[in-house]
């Protein structure tokens, strides 16, 4: 995953100082990254006409879009967790994770709006992120 999004998923959390964790060990991941997950599983699961007048947009270099990268990371991590739930895990993943994120990503007005079927188009610098101003001191205290 991109370094800029590592904090969003709490990857740097440590166990309590001096304490020993008695929790069960984390299960082994099936995929080593969101990119591997996408290429091996998700891309094969979504068969759609994209771009060039289709109802859906997609960028073959989706990982160059910050929104797509963090959403794909979320989809992958949810899949790795929910795949272990025997009854409803995969259905829950489709309904609550994959489909909602993919609807946003593939929307014609979404992050891939300017991309073509065969290539990535870098967004204009002035449109690279939502506008933001730092709040005044004390507003959230």
């Amino acid at each position: 995953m991109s370094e800029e999004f590592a904090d969003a998923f709490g990857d740097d959390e440590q166990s309590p100082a001096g304490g020993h964790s008695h929790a069960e060990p984390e299960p082994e991941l099936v995929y080593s990254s969101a990119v591997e997950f996408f290429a091996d599983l998700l891309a094969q699961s979504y068969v759609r006409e994209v771009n060039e007048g289709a109802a859906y947009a997609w960028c073959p270099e989706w990982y160059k879009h910050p929104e797509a990268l963090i959403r794909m990371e979320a989809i992958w991590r949810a899949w790795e967790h929910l795949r272990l739930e025997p009854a409803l895990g995969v259905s829950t993943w489709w309904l609550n994770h994959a489909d909602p994120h993919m609807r946003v990503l593939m929307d014609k007005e979404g992050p891939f709006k300017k991309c073509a079927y065969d290539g990535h188009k870098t967004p204009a610098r002035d449109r690279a992120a939502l506008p933001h101003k730092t709040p005044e001191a004390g507003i959230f205290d």
Side-chain angles (χ1 to χ4, degrees):
M1 174 177 63
S2 171
E3 292 283 328
E4 69 185 303
F5 297 124
D7 291 341
F9 293 99
D11 286 346
D12 295 331
E13 290 180 15
Q14 302 291 325
S15 60
H20 296 285
S21 174
H22 296 291
E24 293 183 27
E26 288 290 316
E28 290 287 320
L29 296 175
V30 173
Y31 298 102
S32 63
S33 69
V35 173
E36 181 185 2
F37 166 78
F38 176 79
D40 289 354
L41 184 116
L42 197 62
Q44 311 307 315
S45 300
Y46 278 90
V47 178
R48 306 280 193 282
E49 291 292 325
V50 295
N51 305 347
E52 315 289 327
Y56 304 102
W58 191 257
C59 180
E61 296 177 277
W62 59 267
Y63 44 83
K64 291 183 177 179
H65 297 262
E67 179 180 357
L69 184 60
I70 197 166
R71 284 181 181 275
M72 196 60 62
E73 185 82 15
I75 295 169
W76 165 56
R77 287 172 179 261
W79 183 88
E80 290 284 0
H81 175 77
L82 289 169
R83 71 183 173 84
L84 301 172
E85 298 294 325
L88 299 174
V90 173
S91 181
T92 298
W93 175 78
W94 276 109
L95 293 173
N96 297 322
H97 301 279
D99 283 342
H101 284 296
M102 292 299 286
R103 268 193 299 275
V104 170
L105 290 176
M106 293 192 303
D107 188 283
K108 292 295 273 183
E109 294 297 316
F112 308 137
K113 180 178 180 176
K114 299 289 185 183
C115 294
Y117 185 83
D118 59 351
H120 169 73
K121 303 291 186 266
T122 303
R125 284 203 176 273
D126 63 336
R127 302 288 178 177
L130 293 175
H132 173 75
K133 290 186 179 179
T134 303
E136 302 85 43
I139 195 168
F140 291 104
D141 294 336

